[in-house]
Amino acid sequence: MSEKQEQIFSTDDKNYLPVFNRYKIVLERGDGAYLYDINGKRYVDFLGGIAVNVLGYNYAPLVDAISKQAAKIIHVSNLYYTEPQANAAAKLVKLSGLDRAFFGNSGAESNEGAIKIARKYAHQIDAEKSQIITAWDSFHGRTLATLTATGQPKYHKGFEPLPAGFDYVHYNDIAELEEKISDKTCAVMLETIQGEGGVYPPKNDYLKKVRELCDKHGALLILDEIQAGMGRSGKFFAYEKYGVKPDIVTLAKGLAGGVPIGAFICTEKVAQAFHAGDHGTTFGGNPLACAAANVVLDTIPNEKFLAHVEEVGKYFKDKLIDLQKKYPDQISEIRGEGLILGAQLSNSKKSGVEIVNECMKRGAIINCTVGTVLRFIPPLIIENAQVDEVINILDSVLGEVN
Ligand SMILES: *Cc1c(COP(=O)(O)O)cnc(C)c1O
């Protein structure tokens, strides 16, 4: 181990707020679907900065757009117009079939904005129409409202009192939603495909039925596509796969290929609830972030690009199913769509974290979520060859246990 690496570990460990259990590598640069640490060791990356680096690393058009924009102007206040922001908003409106976009800097901010506009919209109808229903095992962010929206008690603990008016149902359980929803429901907020909670896609027309229940009670449907959107499912918006249209959709993560950005997009009907001064942001959607987003928005929503995500996703899923057949005592289920895939671990002798660590030693970066699900959310530009690399490494790690 290099002295420099040790120095970085100790400087960081002493000074950075210790909220992450960090893996003991220092990442320095990337190229395509590969990352390199400070010692020059190469890793095939199937985490993609948690679904952020959709175009991989060092993607020339993205680097070029960011460099050119940085040389012109990095930031101006949202009190003024800029061309990159106007163009990015127009692209999101066109792609979504919705009417208005707003930019923030993160996923949590996108959802916070969506919750705020939904509340303001519903309050015009009835001051008590404020209930927001979300799903258990969801993930919506870390601000007080979005962590409350997040249906995982472990994220709530110690932060009470939490904002009022949130209620939870089990994802994919339409009967439970039917019981809880009422004319006092302001919005139902769901991930189109649950990510952090363990990679759970919607089943059996669930989202269509959710849409119907929302319409029946005048509740808004908010779909969080911060992780599953931007082409990851094989469609630009995952909701296109399931034949529904939300009133509000939220994006972030991959939207600017690694530059911090978030967005919510809504219908005109919802948009009119906000007037000048009702919401705002200093950085959100600045020209640098929007110049990067414009590259992503010009690249991913092309038939060829999305077909690639479908194809390599299918190849990967089939290979994971082969692994499941080979190690049925360790993997009980493969779930997901496109390039958001999960392998449910059963009582394997190695824990999820141990498997992740073993893979890292052998040159593959993968992720384990909720302790028992290996989650794969790679850059969307990966090829079958990289899938083979990761599958071979997983095979050797799982094989060792038997
Ligand atoms: C990551 C994530 C968020 C939060 O995004 P941040 O940028 O970390 O605030 C919200 N919703 C979903 C579905 C996510 O995956």
Side-chain angles (χ1 to χ4, degrees), residues 106-109 111 139-142 191 196 224 226-227 252-253:
S106 69
E109 262 185 71
N111 286 336
F139 186 81
H140 297 296
R142 304 284 198 153
E191 287 160 270
E196 212 254 6
D224 176 343
I226 287 162
Q227 187 163 157
K253 290 206 162 88

Side-chain angles (χ1 to χ4, degrees), residues 78 85 88-121 140 146 189 220-226 230 236-237 239 246-253 255 261-275 277-281 284-285 290 293 297:
N78 273 311
Q85 191 185 79
K91 285 170 199 172
L92 285 178
V93 162
K94 183 154 185 245
L95 286 165
S96 63
L98 299 168
D99 303 308
R100 293 200 177 261
F102 178 84
F103 295 104
N105 305 284
S106 69
E109 262 185 71
S110 308
N111 286 336
E112 188 84 23
I115 291 166
K116 279 180 71 182
I117 202 168
R119 280 269 173 85
K120 196 109 198 292
Y121 170 81
H140 297 296
T146 59
M189 179 167 169
L220 300 175
L221 175 59
I222 305 173
L223 289 179
D224 176 343
E225 298 223 355
I226 287 162
M230 277 75 61
F236 187 78
F237 289 100
Y239 63 72
D247 300 286
I248 308 173
V249 62
T250 59
L251 297 175
K253 290 206 162 88
L255 181 55
I261 195 168
F264 73 81
I265 317 161
C266 64
T267 61
E268 192 65 46
K269 178 184 88 172
V270 173
Q272 55 73 38
F274 265 7
H275 301 104
D278 282 346
H279 196 53
T281 169
C290 285
L297 293 172

Side-chain angles (χ1 to χ4, degrees), residues 113-259:
I115 291 166
K116 279 180 71 182
I117 202 168
R119 280 269 173 85
K120 196 109 198 292
Y121 170 81
H123 281 181
Q124 299 171 340
I125 301 165
D126 172 355
E128 277 164 25
K129 191 173 173 63
S130 57
Q131 180 199 39
I132 297 182
I133 301 179
T134 69
W136 294 116
D137 299 324
S138 59
F139 186 81
H140 297 296
R142 304 284 198 153
T143 62
L144 274 171
T146 59
L147 80 83
T148 306
T150 294
Q152 300 190 54
K154 69 178 180 195
Y155 291 130
H156 299 171
K157 240 183 120 201
F159 296 112
E160 302 84 356
L162 300 175
F166 289 83
D167 224 323
Y168 312 93
V169 294
H170 289 88
Y171 191 77
N172 273 325
D173 184 341
I174 196 69
E176 191 184 359
L177 181 63
E178 194 163 8
E179 229 169 80
K180 284 226 164 128
I181 199 170
S182 76
D183 293 349
K184 299 296 176 204
T185 305
C186 154
V188 176
M189 179 167 169
L190 299 169
E191 287 160 270
T192 308
I193 298 172
Q194 286 195 328
E196 212 254 6
V199 188
Y200 290 96
K203 284 185 191 161
N204 308 329
D205 281 343
Y206 175 65
L207 292 177
K208 275 191 187 164
K209 289 175 189 156
V210 171
R211 176 76 268 181
E212 283 167 21
L213 283 176
C214 285
D215 291 341
K216 187 173 156 195
H217 294 281
L220 300 175
L221 175 59
I222 305 173
L223 289 179
D224 176 343
E225 298 223 355
I226 287 162
Q227 187 163 157
M230 277 75 61
R232 185 162 296 281
S233 73
K235 301 278 185 203
F236 187 78
F237 289 100
Y239 63 72
E240 297 170 59
K241 261 194 134 74
Y242 305 106
V244 291
K245 201 168 147 189
D247 300 286
I248 308 173
V249 62
T250 59
L251 297 175
K253 290 206 162 88
L255 181 55
V259 179

Side-chain angles (χ1 to χ4, degrees), residues 14-58:
K14 204 170 90 194
N15 296 289
Y16 184 78
L17 193 74
V19 294
F20 295 103
N21 284 319
R22 282 188 165 148
Y23 294 99
K24 285 286 194 180
I25 55 173
V26 181
L27 293 171
E28 193 172 54
R29 66 188 181 89
D31 193 29
Y34 294 96
L35 280 167
Y36 294 84
D37 72 14
I38 199 170
N39 303 317
K41 179 174 168 163
R42 187 176 95 154
Y43 305 83
V44 63
D45 177 24
F46 272 56
L47 179 59
I50 314 191
V52 168
N53 300 294
V54 284
L55 298 176
Y57 301 93
N58 209 7

